[in-house]
């Protein structure tokens, strides 16, 4: 069955590319006007945003493809590859910026039309701030690593842009042109840190990371509340694959309980968990009381 959220996610990923192109054009023009290496570094990061947006669009498109015989659990992990690629691109951009900053430090340049350049860069930064907020919210709503990574990266871009604008304003007022390459280097170090975080988070997802502690507590509470008739639960395991969530556990029932009655309990628990986490895949292994393991027990 097609996912109703797919068109929204794809449209947002496509819109991200358009926004990134607009912001890139504005920031690059600001650099051309001023000759500032710090503004150049800001524009260079926007190029990364464009490429990352294209990769995210591909990943979101693939991730919403329905399960097939070759991928019976779906394609949701494709979004993690997007986030990894984005993180790597951020690191490459940081290294390029550091190279430019090093050259400019030994050969400081004066600014041309600094006011116009800063105003243009400020306008682009406002656009990015609005868009980052939208992407992060939608990434959480749709449990999309690609949209979330894009939003976090753009948010980091906003922070560095604000720092660049403030620093260049000081450099323009004081004539300390050496601040320009120093700011560019700080931008590079900041986005290098952000890139490392994006890659680390995505690799955790590729390694079948469990859901967070708060969500697992809700899972345990939901199971306990809806397992009337069963005795206990053990071997609870969870994992995330992009926006997909998998929950599995063993449910211990009285040995004399019929298959039909145990099935009713399983259906009740599964429905409750899927109400809690839309689209979650729940696998329950039913065990009779006299054959149950006694490890990791959740007493009901």
């Amino acid at each position: 069955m097609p996912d109703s959220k797919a068109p929204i996610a794809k449209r947002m990923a496509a819109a991200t590319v358009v926004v990134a192109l607009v912001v890139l054009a504005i920031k690059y023009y600001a650099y051309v006007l001023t000759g500032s290496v710090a503004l150049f570094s800001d524009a260079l990061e926007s190029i990364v945003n464009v490429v990352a947006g294209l990769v995210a669009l591909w990943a979101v498109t693939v991730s919403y493809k329905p399960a097939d015989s070759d991928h019976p659990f779906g394609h949701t992990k494709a979004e993690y590859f997007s986030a990894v690629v984005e993180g790597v691109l951020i690191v490459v951009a940081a290294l390029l910026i550091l190279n430019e900053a090093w050259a400019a430090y030994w050969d400081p340049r004066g600014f041309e039309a600094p006011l116009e350049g800063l105003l243009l860069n400020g306008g682009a930064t406002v656009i990015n701030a609005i868009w980052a907020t939208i992407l992060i919210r939608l990434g959480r709503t749709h449990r999309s690593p690609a949209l979330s990574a894009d939003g976090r990266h753009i948010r980091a871009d906003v922070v560095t842009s604000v720092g660049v604008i403030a620093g260049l304003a000081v450099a323009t007022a004081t004539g300390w042109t050496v601040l320009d390459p120093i700011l560019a280097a700080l931008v590079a170090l900041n986005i290098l840190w952000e890139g490392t975080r994006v890659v680390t988070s995505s690799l955790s997802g590729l390694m079948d990371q469990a859901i967070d502690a708060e969500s697992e507590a809700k899972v345990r509470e939901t199971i306990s509340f809806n397992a009337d008739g069963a005795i206990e639960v053990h071997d609870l395991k969870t994992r995330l694959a992009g926006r997909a969530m998998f929950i599995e556990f063993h449910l211990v029932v009285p040995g004399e309980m019929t298959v039909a009655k145990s099935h009713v309990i399983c259906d009740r628990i599964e429905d409750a968990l899927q109400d809690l986490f839309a689209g979650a895949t729940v696998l329950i292994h039913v065990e009779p009381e006299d054959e149950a393991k006694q490890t990791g027990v959740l007493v009901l």
Side-chain angles (χ1 to χ4, degrees):
M1 181 182 295
D3 194 324
S4 60
K5 295 181 179 179
I8 298 174
K10 290 179 184 178
R11 283 199 298 270
M12 294 307 298
T16 296
V17 177
V18 176
V19 171
L21 284 170
V22 171
V23 170
L24 169 60
I26 296 173
K27 288 189 173 183
Y28 185 75
Y29 185 54
Y31 155 68
V32 170
L33 281 177
T34 62
S36 164
V37 69
L39 291 185
F40 171 76
S41 70
D42 221 10
L44 186 61
E45 189 177 4
S46 293
I47 295 176
V48 175
N49 290 347
V50 173
V51 177
L54 290 170
V55 175
L57 176 58
W58 167 83
V60 168
T61 301
V62 171
S63 74
Y64 276 97
K65 290 174 61 178
D68 53 38
S69 57
D70 292 329
H71 304 87
F73 292 98
H75 302 77
T76 52
K77 280 193 176 182
E79 293 200 38
Y80 287 124
F81 290 102
S82 164
V84 170
V85 170
E86 181 166 350
V88 171
L89 288 173
I90 292 172
V91 172
V92 171
L95 295 176
L96 291 173
I97 293 169
L98 284 172
N99 181 66
E100 288 294 323
W102 179 255
Y105 179 81
W106 294 107
D107 182 22
R109 312 160 192 171
F111 305 140
E112 298 177 10
L115 179 59
E116 293 85 344
L118 291 177
L119 287 174
L120 282 171
N121 199 273
T125 300
V126 170
I127 294 173
N128 263 349
I130 295 171
W131 195 246
T133 302
I134 293 172
L135 284 179
I136 290 171
R137 286 179 179 174
L138 284 175
R140 289 171 182 165
T141 301
H142 298 283
R143 297 205 298 271
S144 168
L147 292 181
S148 294
D150 245 1
R152 289 196 303 271
H153 175 206
I154 295 173
R155 183 175 60 188
D157 189 12
V158 170
V159 174
T160 55
S161 294
V162 170
V164 165
I165 292 169
L168 287 181
V170 173
T172 301
T174 62
W176 296 344
T177 55
V178 72
L179 283 176
D180 187 32
I182 291 175
L183 286 169
L186 291 175
V187 169
L189 293 175
N190 184 65
I191 65 174
L192 187 62
W193 168 249
E194 181 65 23
T196 302
R197 288 181 57 198
V198 170
V199 171
T200 302
S201 173
S202 302
L203 289 178
S204 295
L206 287 171
M207 295 296 289
D208 287 337
Q209 184 179 31
I211 63 178
D212 61 86
E214 182 181 351
S215 296
E216 183 171 326
K218 291 180 180 178
V219 167
R220 289 177 175 273
E221 182 182 348
T222 300
I223 293 173
S224 180
F225 185 78
N226 290 278
D228 290 343
I231 298 173
E232 65 187 30
V233 167
H234 62 84
D235 286 355
L236 173 64
K237 299 175 183 176
T238 64
R239 68 183 177 92
L240 294 171
R243 66 185 174 279
M245 179 185 294
F246 296 87
I247 303 169
E248 62 178 81
F249 56 90
H250 292 207
L251 182 72
V252 180
V253 299
E256 68 276 7
M257 181 176 285
T258 65
V259 172
K261 288 184 178 179
S262 64
H263 184 68
V264 169
I265 298 173
C266 290
D267 279 350
R268 187 168 64 240
I269 296 173
E270 184 175 347
D271 290 343
L273 287 172
Q274 289 177 341
D275 286 341
L276 181 65
F277 298 107
T281 298
V282 182
L283 177 62
I284 305 173
H285 176 74
V286 178
E287 292 181 346
E289 181 180 6
D290 56 347
E291 295 182 17
K293 298 178 183 178
Q294 297 297 320
T295 59
V297 173
L298 168 61
V299 179
L300 301 174

